[in-house]
Amino acid sequence: ELFEKKNYELRIAGGAVRDLLSGVTPQDIDFATTATPAEMKEMFTAAGVRLINNKGEKHGTITARLHEQNFEITTLRIDVVTDGRHAEVEFTTDWHKDAERRDLTVNSMFLGLDGTLYDFFNGYEDLKNKKIRFVGKAAERIQEDYLRILRYFRFYGRIAEKPGDHEPITLQAIKENAKGLAGISGERIWVELKKILLGNHVNHLVQLMYELHIAQYIGLPLDGNLEEFARVSKNIQNLSPKPMTVLTSLFKGKDDVTNLDLRLKISKEEKNLGLFLVKHRQELTKGPGPEPLRPYQDFLMDSREANTNSKIFELLKYQGEEQLLKEMQEWTVPSFPVSGHDLRKMGVSSGKEIGTALQQLRDEWKKSGYHMDKEELLSCLKKL
């Protein structure tokens, strides 16, 4: 209503339009307008609408807070200069020109608040046909911001129906511009890469990253283990793994985790998970016979580190052990029934002896599958 009163045009833009047309509820809704940031500020201030101060203004974005929600409204713009990372912009009232500087056709549509779709590059057609294409010439779009290479992969994994449905000219443009990713910050790359790892067609897309020589510029090992990756990405299809669990299957050793961290600045928790999986994926496997979970349970009981159980869950996903994962998630860690106090009551007095006795009892308890109770353990102590 505010925009209408002042005769500024206001439309929903980008990702929210794509989601609405796909029948998905958008997570956040961005708007585009013909009003400049100065005009919006004046209009909102006069109407008593709170503005959130953020750094978007020089790019044309104003954030208004209404009903406990933030709305980002951006003035239509044209990129004047781009260096593959940042753009200098000038404002425009031309919707076509603004759509032209967006990355993919499915992200370049606008939706009027009356339900009219403004689609200059066949984005709706592409969305219905599940095609991912750059707006205009792929090479030009990529050179404006090299991160768009990874955005192409991410949306391919979200929207495309089957692997391998790419336009040759797009793959050529990606290959020729892959080196540009070397100049993009690790944090930005990691945000995109994590989404790719949790999307569809992940095995196809990672193989493609190697074929198009992208891997080396985004922190992945030159000689990544693609066979293991193919096997593990199949294992974890329905197990909601963490991105790092999927990625670790490419790694041959801990150096690969360290190099990834140097390039992408992953979190400490992500790094520790990677190191854990590389170290234990081969030897920590299910037990023979009637107690397949025992090795994992024993490992957890002996571990002195935090988060060991969540790391074991990820290891089971990596190994594709769906049934064991369920059982392990339902298993509660039993608490050891004997304390030093019990031993003192039995006349064991020196601290050293108590420590030794407790360790022996823990071993017996472990052998019993954590079933022995306090009485059984104490009578065991008499024998020992």
Side-chain angles (χ1 to χ4, degrees), residues 129-209:
N129 297 327
K130 303 193 179 339
K131 288 288 281 185
I132 297 299
R133 292 186 312 145
F134 283 102
V135 169
K137 291 198 171 101
E140 285 175 18
R141 290 294 81 75
I142 290 168
Q143 284 158 16
E144 288 161 1
D145 180 356
Y146 292 104
L147 191 68
R148 286 174 167 178
I149 291 175
L150 295 184
R151 284 177 62 83
Y152 173 85
F153 286 133
R154 161 152 73 100
F155 285 104
Y156 191 93
R158 226 165 106 172
I159 288 167
E161 206 145 28
K162 49 187 191 289
D165 186 14
H166 308 272
E167 294 185 344
I169 190 163
T170 301
L171 296 185
Q172 190 56 35
I174 288 176
K175 189 175 183 176
E176 284 166 10
N177 288 285
K179 200 173 177 181
L181 281 164
I184 301 288
S185 79
E187 290 87 342
R188 286 182 76 205
I189 288 175
W190 187 221
V191 167
E192 291 297 325
L193 189 54
K194 282 194 278 199
K195 290 176 178 165
I196 294 168
L197 290 166
L198 298 184
N200 301 323
H201 317 307
V202 58
N203 183 39
H204 161 68
L205 293 172
V206 168
Q207 307 266 353
L208 205 51
M209 285 179 193

Coordinates of all heavy atoms in Angstrom, one line a residue, residues 129-209:
N129 N 10.4 -27.7 -16.9 CA 11.2 -28.7 -17.6 C 12.4 -29.2 -16.8 O 13.2 -30.0 -17.2 CB 11.7 -28.3 -19.0 CG 10.5 -27.9 -19.9 OD1 9.4 -28.6 -19.8 ND2 10.6 -26.9 -20.7
K130 N 12.5 -28.6 -15.6 CA 13.6 -28.9 -14.7 C 15.0 -28.7 -15.3 O 15.9 -29.5 -15.2 CB 13.5 -30.3 -14.1 CG 12.1 -30.6 -13.4 CD 12.1 -31.9 -12.6 CE 10.9 -32.2 -11.9 NZ 10.0 -31.2 -11.5
K131 N 15.1 -27.6 -16.1 CA 16.4 -27.2 -16.7 C 17.0 -26.1 -15.9 O 16.4 -25.1 -15.5 CB 16.1 -26.7 -18.1 CG 15.6 -27.7 -19.2 CD 16.7 -28.7 -19.6 CE 17.7 -28.1 -20.6 NZ 18.7 -29.1 -21.1
I132 N 18.4 -26.2 -15.8 CA 19.1 -25.2 -15.1 C 20.0 -24.5 -16.2 O 20.8 -25.1 -16.8 CB 20.0 -25.7 -14.0 CG1 19.1 -26.3 -12.9 CG2 20.9 -24.6 -13.4 CD1 18.1 -25.4 -12.3
R133 N 19.7 -23.2 -16.4 CA 20.5 -22.5 -17.4 C 20.8 -21.1 -16.9 O 20.1 -20.5 -16.1 CB 19.7 -22.3 -18.7 CG 19.4 -23.7 -19.4 CD 18.8 -23.5 -20.7 NE 17.6 -22.6 -20.6 CZ 17.2 -21.8 -21.6 NH1 17.9 -21.7 -22.7 NH2 16.1 -21.0 -21.4
F134 N 22.0 -20.6 -17.4 CA 22.4 -19.2 -17.0 C 21.5 -18.2 -17.8 O 21.0 -18.6 -18.9 CB 23.8 -19.0 -17.3 CG 24.7 -19.6 -16.3 CD1 25.4 -20.8 -16.5 CD2 24.9 -18.9 -15.0 CE1 26.3 -21.3 -15.6 CE2 25.8 -19.5 -14.1 CZ 26.4 -20.7 -14.3
V135 N 21.3 -17.1 -17.3 CA 20.6 -16.0 -18.0 C 21.6 -15.5 -19.1 O 22.8 -15.2 -18.8 CB 20.3 -14.8 -17.0 CG1 19.8 -13.6 -17.8 CG2 19.2 -15.3 -16.0
G136 N 21.2 -15.5 -20.3 CA 22.1 -15.0 -21.4 C 23.3 -15.9 -21.6 O 23.1 -17.1 -21.5
K137 N 24.5 -15.3 -21.7 CA 25.6 -16.1 -22.0 C 26.3 -16.6 -20.7 O 26.6 -15.8 -19.8 CB 26.7 -15.2 -22.8 CG 26.3 -14.9 -24.2 CD 27.5 -14.5 -25.0 CE 27.2 -14.4 -26.5 NZ 27.0 -13.0 -26.9
A138 N 26.5 -17.9 -20.6 CA 27.0 -18.5 -19.4 C 28.3 -17.8 -19.0 O 28.5 -17.5 -17.8 CB 27.1 -20.0 -19.5
A139 N 29.2 -17.7 -19.9 CA 30.6 -17.2 -19.6 C 30.5 -15.8 -19.0 O 31.2 -15.4 -18.0 CB 31.5 -17.2 -20.8
E140 N 29.6 -14.9 -19.5 CA 29.5 -13.6 -19.0 C 28.9 -13.6 -17.6 O 29.4 -12.9 -16.7 CB 28.5 -12.7 -19.9 CG 29.2 -12.3 -21.2 CD 28.2 -11.6 -22.1 OE1 27.1 -11.1 -21.7 OE2 28.5 -11.5 -23.3
R141 N 27.9 -14.4 -17.3 CA 27.3 -14.4 -16.0 C 28.3 -14.9 -15.0 O 28.4 -14.4 -13.9 CB 26.1 -15.4 -16.0 CG 24.9 -15.0 -16.7 CD 24.2 -13.7 -16.1 NE 24.8 -12.5 -16.5 CZ 24.7 -11.9 -17.7 NH1 24.0 -12.5 -18.6 NH2 25.3 -10.8 -18.0
I142 N 29.1 -15.9 -15.4 CA 30.1 -16.5 -14.5 C 31.2 -15.5 -14.1 O 31.6 -15.3 -13.0 CB 30.8 -17.8 -15.1 CG1 29.7 -18.9 -15.1 CG2 32.0 -18.2 -14.3 CD1 30.1 -20.1 -15.9
Q143 N 31.6 -14.7 -15.2 CA 32.7 -13.8 -14.9 C 32.3 -12.6 -14.0 O 33.1 -11.9 -13.5 CB 33.3 -13.3 -16.3 CG 34.2 -14.3 -16.9 CD 34.3 -14.1 -18.4 OE1 34.0 -13.1 -19.0 NE2 34.8 -15.2 -19.1
E144 N 31.0 -12.4 -13.9 CA 30.5 -11.4 -13.0 C 30.7 -11.8 -11.5 O 30.9 -11.0 -10.7 CB 29.0 -11.0 -13.3 CG 28.8 -10.3 -14.5 CD 27.4 -10.4 -15.1 OE1 26.5 -11.0 -14.4 OE2 27.1 -9.8 -16.1
D145 N 30.6 -13.1 -11.3 CA 30.8 -13.6 -9.9 C 31.1 -15.1 -10.1 O 30.2 -15.9 -10.4 CB 29.6 -13.4 -9.0 CG 29.8 -13.9 -7.6 OD1 30.8 -14.6 -7.4 OD2 28.9 -13.8 -6.8
Y146 N 32.3 -15.5 -9.9 CA 32.7 -16.9 -10.1 C 32.0 -17.9 -9.2 O 31.9 -19.1 -9.5 CB 34.2 -17.1 -10.1 CG 35.0 -16.3 -11.2 CD1 35.6 -15.1 -11.0 CD2 34.9 -16.9 -12.5 CE1 36.2 -14.5 -12.0 CE2 35.6 -16.2 -13.5 CZ 36.2 -15.0 -13.3 OH 36.8 -14.3 -14.3
L147 N 31.5 -17.5 -8.1 CA 30.7 -18.4 -7.2 C 29.5 -19.0 -7.9 O 29.0 -20.0 -7.6 CB 30.3 -17.6 -6.0 CG 29.8 -18.5 -4.8 CD1 30.9 -19.4 -4.3 CD2 29.1 -17.7 -3.7
R148 N 29.1 -18.3 -9.0 CA 27.9 -18.8 -9.8 C 28.1 -20.2 -10.3 O 27.2 -20.9 -10.6 CB 27.6 -17.8 -10.9 CG 26.9 -16.5 -10.3 CD 26.7 -15.5 -11.3 NE 25.8 -14.4 -10.8 CZ 25.5 -13.3 -11.5 NH1 25.9 -13.1 -12.7 NH2 24.7 -12.4 -10.9
I149 N 29.4 -20.6 -10.5 CA 29.7 -21.9 -11.0 C 29.1 -22.9 -9.9 O 28.4 -23.9 -10.3 CB 31.2 -22.2 -11.1 CG1 31.8 -21.3 -12.3 CG2 31.5 -23.6 -11.2 CD1 33.3 -21.4 -12.4
L150 N 29.4 -22.6 -8.7 CA 28.8 -23.6 -7.6 C 27.3 -23.4 -7.4 O 26.7 -24.4 -7.1 CB 29.6 -23.3 -6.3 CG 31.1 -23.7 -6.3 CD1 31.7 -23.5 -4.9 CD2 31.3 -25.1 -6.8
R151 N 26.8 -22.2 -7.7 CA 25.4 -22.0 -7.6 C 24.7 -22.8 -8.7 O 23.6 -23.4 -8.5 CB 25.0 -20.5 -7.7 CG 25.3 -19.8 -6.4 CD 25.0 -18.3 -6.5 NE 23.6 -18.0 -6.8 CZ 22.6 -18.0 -5.9 NH1 22.8 -18.2 -4.6 NH2 21.4 -17.7 -6.3
Y152 N 25.3 -22.9 -9.9 CA 24.8 -23.7 -10.9 C 24.6 -25.2 -10.5 O 23.6 -25.8 -10.6 CB 25.7 -23.6 -12.2 CG 25.3 -24.6 -13.3 CD1 24.3 -24.2 -14.2 CD2 25.9 -25.8 -13.4 CE1 23.9 -25.1 -15.2 CE2 25.5 -26.7 -14.4 CZ 24.5 -26.4 -15.3 OH 24.1 -27.2 -16.3
F153 N 25.7 -25.7 -9.9 CA 25.7 -27.1 -9.4 C 24.6 -27.2 -8.3 O 23.9 -28.2 -8.3 CB 27.0 -27.5 -8.8 CG 28.1 -27.7 -9.8 CD1 29.4 -27.2 -9.7 CD2 27.8 -28.5 -10.9 CE1 30.3 -27.4 -10.7 CE2 28.8 -28.8 -11.9 CZ 30.0 -28.2 -11.8
R154 N 24.5 -26.3 -7.4 CA 23.6 -26.4 -6.3 C 22.2 -26.5 -6.8 O 21.4 -27.3 -6.4 CB 23.7 -25.2 -5.3 CG 22.5 -25.1 -4.4 CD 22.7 -24.4 -3.1 NE 23.0 -23.0 -3.2 CZ 22.1 -22.1 -2.9 NH1 20.8 -22.4 -2.6 NH2 22.4 -20.8 -2.9
F155 N 21.8 -25.6 -7.7 CA 20.4 -25.6 -8.2 C 20.2 -26.8 -9.1 O 19.1 -27.3 -9.2 CB 20.1 -24.3 -8.9 CG 19.8 -23.2 -7.8 CD1 20.8 -22.2 -7.6 CD2 18.7 -23.2 -7.1 CE1 20.5 -21.2 -6.6 CE2 18.4 -22.2 -6.1 CZ 19.4 -21.3 -5.9
Y156 N 21.2 -27.2 -9.8 CA 21.1 -28.5 -10.6 C 20.7 -29.6 -9.6 O 19.7 -30.4 -9.9 CB 22.4 -28.8 -11.3 CG 22.2 -29.9 -12.3 CD1 21.9 -29.6 -13.6 CD2 22.2 -31.3 -11.9 CE1 21.6 -30.6 -14.5 CE2 21.9 -32.3 -12.8 CZ 21.6 -31.9 -14.1 OH 21.3 -32.9 -15.0
G157 N 21.3 -29.7 -8.5 CA 21.0 -30.8 -7.5 C 19.7 -30.6 -6.8 O 19.1 -31.5 -6.2
R158 N 19.1 -29.4 -7.0 CA 17.8 -29.2 -6.3 C 16.7 -29.4 -7.3 O 15.6 -29.8 -6.9 CB 17.8 -27.7 -5.8 CG 17.3 -27.6 -4.4 CD 17.6 -26.3 -3.8 NE 16.4 -25.5 -3.7 CZ 16.3 -24.4 -3.1 NH1 17.4 -23.9 -2.5 NH2 15.2 -23.7 -3.0
I159 N 16.9 -29.0 -8.6 CA 15.8 -28.9 -9.5 C 15.8 -30.0 -10.6 O 14.8 -30.5 -11.0 CB 15.7 -27.5 -10.1 CG1 15.3 -26.6 -9.0 CG2 14.8 -27.4 -11.3 CD1 15.4 -25.1 -9.3
A160 N 17.0 -30.3 -11.1 CA 17.1 -31.2 -12.3 C 16.6 -32.6 -11.9 O 16.8 -33.0 -10.8 CB 18.6 -31.3 -12.8
E161 N 16.0 -33.3 -12.9 CA 15.4 -34.6 -12.6 C 16.5 -35.7 -12.6 O 16.4 -36.6 -11.8 CB 14.3 -34.9 -13.6 CG 13.3 -35.8 -13.1 CD 11.9 -35.4 -13.6 OE1 11.8 -34.9 -14.7 OE2 10.9 -35.7 -12.9
K162 N 17.4 -35.6 -13.6 CA 18.4 -36.7 -13.7 C 19.8 -36.1 -13.9 O 19.9 -35.0 -14.3 CB 18.0 -37.6 -14.8 CG 17.7 -36.9 -16.2 CD 17.2 -38.0 -17.2 CE 17.1 -37.4 -18.6 NZ 16.0 -36.3 -18.7
P163 N 20.8 -36.9 -13.6 CA 22.2 -36.4 -13.8 C 22.5 -36.3 -15.3 O 21.8 -36.9 -16.1 CB 23.0 -37.5 -13.1 CG 22.2 -38.7 -13.0 CD 20.8 -38.2 -13.0
G164 N 23.4 -35.4 -15.6 CA 23.9 -35.4 -17.0 C 23.1 -34.6 -17.9 O 23.4 -34.7 -19.1
D165 N 22.2 -33.8 -17.5 CA 21.3 -33.1 -18.4 C 21.8 -31.6 -18.5 O 21.1 -30.7 -18.1 CB 19.9 -33.1 -17.9 CG 18.9 -32.5 -18.9 OD1 19.3 -32.3 -20.0 OD2 17.7 -32.3 -18.5
H166 N 23.0 -31.4 -19.0 CA 23.6 -30.1 -19.1 C 23.8 -29.7 -20.5 O 24.0 -30.5 -21.4 CB 25.0 -30.1 -18.4 CG 25.0 -30.6 -17.0 ND1 24.8 -29.9 -15.9 CD2 25.3 -31.9 -16.6 CE1 24.9 -30.6 -14.8 NE2 25.2 -31.9 -15.2
E167 N 23.8 -28.3 -20.7 CA 24.1 -27.9 -22.1 C 25.6 -27.8 -22.2 O 26.3 -27.3 -21.4 CB 23.5 -26.5 -22.3 CG 21.9 -26.5 -22.3 CD 21.3 -25.1 -22.6 OE1 22.1 -24.1 -22.5 OE2 20.1 -25.1 -22.9
P168 N 26.1 -28.4 -23.3 CA 27.6 -28.5 -23.5 C 28.2 -27.1 -23.4 O 29.3 -27.0 -22.8 CB 27.7 -29.0 -24.9 CG 26.5 -29.8 -25.2 CD 25.4 -29.1 -24.4
I169 N 27.5 -26.1 -23.9 CA 28.1 -24.7 -23.9 C 28.3 -24.2 -22.5 O 29.2 -23.5 -22.1 CB 27.3 -23.7 -24.8 CG1 28.0 -22.4 -25.0 CG2 25.9 -23.5 -24.2 CD1 27.5 -21.6 -26.1
T170 N 27.4 -24.6 -21.6 CA 27.5 -24.2 -20.2 C 28.7 -24.9 -19.5 O 29.5 -24.3 -18.8 CB 26.2 -24.7 -19.4 OG1 25.1 -24.0 -20.0 CG2 26.2 -24.2 -18.0
L171 N 28.8 -26.2 -19.8 CA 30.0 -26.9 -19.2 C 31.3 -26.4 -19.7 O 32.2 -26.3 -18.9 CB 29.9 -28.4 -19.5 CG 28.6 -29.2 -18.9 CD1 28.7 -30.7 -19.1 CD2 28.5 -28.9 -17.4
Q172 N 31.3 -26.0 -20.9 CA 32.5 -25.4 -21.5 C 32.9 -24.1 -20.8 O 34.0 -23.9 -20.4 CB 32.3 -25.2 -23.0 CG 33.5 -24.8 -23.8 CD 34.6 -25.8 -23.7 OE1 34.4 -27.0 -23.6 NE2 35.9 -25.4 -23.7
A173 N 31.8 -23.3 -20.6 CA 32.0 -22.0 -19.9 C 32.5 -22.2 -18.5 O 33.4 -21.4 -18.0 CB 30.7 -21.2 -19.9
I174 N 32.0 -23.2 -17.8 CA 32.4 -23.5 -16.4 C 33.9 -23.9 -16.4 O 34.7 -23.4 -15.7 CB 31.5 -24.6 -15.8 CG1 30.1 -24.0 -15.5 CG2 32.1 -25.1 -14.5 CD1 29.1 -25.0 -15.0
K175 N 34.2 -24.8 -17.4 CA 35.6 -25.3 -17.4 C 36.6 -24.2 -17.7 O 37.6 -24.0 -17.0 CB 35.7 -26.4 -18.5 CG 37.0 -27.1 -18.5 CD 37.0 -28.2 -19.5 CE 38.3 -29.0 -19.5 NZ 38.2 -30.2 -20.4
E176 N 36.2 -23.3 -18.6 CA 37.2 -22.2 -19.0 C 37.3 -21.2 -17.9 O 38.3 -20.4 -17.8 CB 36.7 -21.5 -20.3 CG 36.9 -22.3 -21.5 CD 36.2 -21.9 -22.8 OE1 35.6 -20.8 -22.7 OE2 36.2 -22.6 -23.8
N177 N 36.3 -21.1 -17.0 CA 36.4 -20.1 -16.0 C 36.6 -20.6 -14.6 O 36.6 -19.9 -13.6 CB 35.1 -19.3 -16.0 CG 35.0 -18.4 -17.2 OD1 35.6 -17.3 -17.2 ND2 34.2 -18.7 -18.2
A178 N 36.9 -21.9 -14.5 CA 37.0 -22.6 -13.2 C 38.1 -21.9 -12.3 O 37.9 -21.7 -11.1 CB 37.4 -24.1 -13.4
K179 N 39.1 -21.4 -12.9 CA 40.2 -20.8 -12.2 C 39.8 -19.6 -11.4 O 40.4 -19.3 -10.4 CB 41.3 -20.5 -13.2 CG 42.7 -20.3 -12.5 CD 43.8 -20.1 -13.5 CE 45.1 -19.9 -12.8 NZ 46.2 -19.6 -13.7
G180 N 38.7 -19.0 -11.9 CA 38.2 -17.8 -11.2 C 37.8 -18.1 -9.7 O 37.8 -17.2 -8.9
L181 N 37.5 -19.4 -9.4 CA 37.1 -19.7 -8.1 C 38.2 -19.5 -7.1 O 38.0 -19.4 -5.9 CB 36.6 -21.2 -8.0 CG 35.1 -21.4 -8.6 CD1 34.9 -22.8 -8.9 CD2 34.1 -20.8 -7.5
A182 N 39.4 -19.5 -7.6 CA 40.6 -19.4 -6.7 C 40.5 -18.0 -5.9 O 41.1 -17.9 -4.8 CB 41.9 -19.5 -7.5
G183 N 39.9 -17.1 -6.5 CA 39.8 -15.7 -5.9 C 38.6 -15.5 -5.0 O 38.4 -14.5 -4.4
I184 N 37.8 -16.6 -4.8 CA 36.5 -16.4 -4.0 C 36.9 -16.9 -2.6 O 37.6 -17.9 -2.4 CB 35.4 -17.3 -4.6 CG1 35.1 -16.8 -6.0 CG2 34.2 -17.3 -3.7 CD1 34.4 -15.5 -6.2
S185 N 36.3 -16.3 -1.6 CA 36.7 -16.6 -0.2 C 36.2 -18.0 0.1 O 35.1 -18.5 -0.3 CB 36.1 -15.6 0.8 OG 34.7 -15.9 1.0
G186 N 36.9 -18.7 1.0 CA 36.6 -20.0 1.4 C 35.2 -20.1 2.1 O 34.5 -21.1 1.8
E187 N 34.9 -19.1 2.8 CA 33.6 -19.1 3.5 C 32.5 -19.2 2.5 O 31.5 -20.0 2.7 CB 33.4 -17.9 4.4 CG 34.3 -17.9 5.7 CD 35.7 -17.3 5.4 OE1 36.1 -17.1 4.3 OE2 36.4 -16.9 6.4
R188 N 32.5 -18.4 1.5 CA 31.4 -18.4 0.5 C 31.4 -19.7 -0.2 O 30.3 -20.2 -0.5 CB 31.7 -17.2 -0.5 CG 31.4 -15.8 0.0 CD 31.6 -14.8 -1.1 NE 30.5 -14.7 -2.0 CZ 30.6 -14.3 -3.3 NH1 31.7 -13.8 -3.7 NH2 29.5 -14.3 -4.1
I189 N 32.5 -20.3 -0.5 CA 32.6 -21.5 -1.3 C 31.9 -22.6 -0.4 O 31.1 -23.5 -0.8 CB 34.0 -21.9 -1.7 CG1 34.4 -21.0 -2.8 CG2 34.1 -23.4 -2.1 CD1 35.9 -21.1 -3.2
W190 N 32.3 -22.7 0.9 CA 31.8 -23.7 1.8 C 30.3 -23.7 2.0 O 29.7 -24.7 2.0 CB 32.6 -23.6 3.1 CG 32.4 -24.7 4.2 CD1 32.2 -24.5 5.5 CD2 32.4 -26.1 4.0 NE1 32.1 -25.7 6.1 CE2 32.2 -26.7 5.2 CE3 32.5 -26.9 2.8 CZ2 32.1 -28.1 5.4 CZ3 32.4 -28.3 3.0 CH2 32.2 -28.9 4.3
V191 N 29.7 -22.5 2.0 CA 28.3 -22.4 2.1 C 27.6 -23.1 0.9 O 26.7 -23.9 1.1 CB 27.8 -20.9 2.1 CG1 26.3 -20.8 1.9 CG2 28.2 -20.3 3.5
E192 N 28.1 -22.9 -0.3 CA 27.5 -23.5 -1.5 C 27.8 -25.0 -1.5 O 27.0 -25.8 -1.8 CB 28.1 -22.8 -2.8 CG 27.7 -21.4 -3.0 CD 26.1 -21.3 -3.2 OE1 25.5 -22.2 -3.8 OE2 25.6 -20.3 -2.8
L193 N 29.1 -25.3 -1.2 CA 29.5 -26.7 -1.3 C 28.7 -27.6 -0.4 O 28.2 -28.7 -0.7 CB 31.0 -26.8 -1.0 CG 31.6 -28.2 -1.2 CD1 31.4 -28.7 -2.7 CD2 33.1 -28.1 -1.0
K194 N 28.4 -27.1 0.8 CA 27.6 -27.9 1.8 C 26.2 -28.2 1.2 O 25.7 -29.3 1.4 CB 27.5 -27.2 3.1 CG 28.7 -27.3 4.0 CD 28.5 -26.8 5.4 CE 28.6 -25.3 5.6 NZ 28.8 -25.0 7.0
K195 N 25.6 -27.2 0.6 CA 24.3 -27.4 0.0 C 24.3 -28.4 -1.2 O 23.4 -29.2 -1.3 CB 23.7 -26.1 -0.5 CG 23.4 -25.2 0.7 CD 22.9 -23.8 0.3 CE 22.5 -22.9 1.5 NZ 22.4 -21.5 1.1
I196 N 25.4 -28.4 -1.9 CA 25.6 -29.3 -3.0 C 25.7 -30.8 -2.5 O 25.0 -31.7 -3.0 CB 26.8 -29.0 -3.9 CG1 26.7 -27.7 -4.6 CG2 27.1 -30.1 -4.9 CD1 27.9 -27.1 -5.2
L197 N 26.4 -30.9 -1.4 CA 26.6 -32.2 -0.8 C 25.4 -32.8 -0.2 O 25.3 -34.1 -0.1 CB 27.7 -32.1 0.3 CG 29.1 -31.8 -0.2 CD1 30.0 -31.4 1.0 CD2 29.7 -33.0 -0.9
L198 N 24.4 -32.0 0.1 CA 23.2 -32.5 0.7 C 22.0 -32.6 -0.3 O 20.9 -33.0 0.0 CB 22.7 -31.7 1.9 CG 23.7 -31.7 3.1 CD1 23.2 -30.9 4.3 CD2 24.1 -33.1 3.5
G199 N 22.3 -32.2 -1.6 CA 21.3 -32.2 -2.6 C 21.3 -33.5 -3.4 O 21.9 -34.4 -3.0
N200 N 20.5 -33.5 -4.5 CA 20.4 -34.7 -5.3 C 21.6 -34.7 -6.3 O 22.3 -33.7 -6.4 CB 19.1 -34.7 -6.2 CG 17.9 -34.7 -5.3 OD1 17.9 -35.3 -4.2 ND2 16.9 -33.9 -5.7
H201 N 21.8 -35.9 -6.9 CA 22.8 -36.0 -8.0 C 24.2 -35.7 -7.5 O 25.1 -35.2 -8.2 CB 22.5 -35.2 -9.2 CG 21.1 -35.2 -9.6 ND1 20.4 -36.4 -9.9 CD2 20.2 -34.2 -9.9 CE1 19.2 -36.1 -10.2 NE2 19.0 -34.8 -10.2
V202 N 24.5 -35.8 -6.1 CA 25.8 -35.3 -5.6 C 26.9 -36.1 -6.2 O 28.0 -35.5 -6.5 CB 25.8 -35.4 -4.1 CG1 25.6 -36.8 -3.5 CG2 27.1 -34.8 -3.5
N203 N 26.8 -37.4 -6.5 CA 27.9 -38.1 -7.0 C 28.2 -37.6 -8.4 O 29.4 -37.3 -8.8 CB 27.6 -39.6 -7.1 CG 28.8 -40.4 -7.6 OD1 29.9 -40.1 -7.3 ND2 28.5 -41.4 -8.4
H204 N 27.2 -37.4 -9.2 CA 27.4 -36.9 -10.6 C 28.1 -35.5 -10.5 O 29.0 -35.2 -11.3 CB 26.0 -36.8 -11.3 CG 26.0 -35.9 -12.4 ND1 26.6 -36.1 -13.6 CD2 25.4 -34.7 -12.6 CE1 26.4 -35.1 -14.5 NE2 25.7 -34.2 -13.9
L205 N 27.6 -34.6 -9.6 CA 28.1 -33.3 -9.6 C 29.5 -33.2 -9.1 O 30.3 -32.4 -9.6 CB 27.2 -32.4 -8.7 CG 25.8 -32.2 -9.3 CD1 24.9 -31.5 -8.2 CD2 25.8 -31.4 -10.6
V206 N 29.9 -34.0 -8.2 CA 31.3 -34.0 -7.7 C 32.2 -34.6 -8.8 O 33.3 -34.1 -9.0 CB 31.4 -34.7 -6.3 CG1 32.9 -35.0 -6.0 CG2 30.8 -33.9 -5.2
Q207 N 31.8 -35.6 -9.4 CA 32.6 -36.2 -10.5 C 32.8 -35.1 -11.6 O 33.9 -34.9 -12.1 CB 31.9 -37.4 -11.2 CG 31.5 -38.5 -10.3 CD 32.5 -39.6 -10.1 OE1 33.5 -39.7 -10.8 NE2 32.2 -40.5 -9.2
L208 N 31.8 -34.3 -11.8 CA 31.8 -33.2 -12.8 C 32.8 -32.1 -12.3 O 33.6 -31.6 -13.2 CB 30.4 -32.6 -12.9 CG 30.1 -31.9 -14.2 CD1 30.4 -32.7 -15.5 CD2 28.6 -31.5 -14.2
M209 N 32.9 -31.9 -11.1 CA 33.8 -30.9 -10.5 C 35.3 -31.3 -10.9 O 36.1 -30.4 -11.1 CB 33.7 -30.7 -9.0 CG 32.5 -30.0 -8.6 SD 32.4 -29.9 -6.8 CE 30.7 -29.3 -6.6

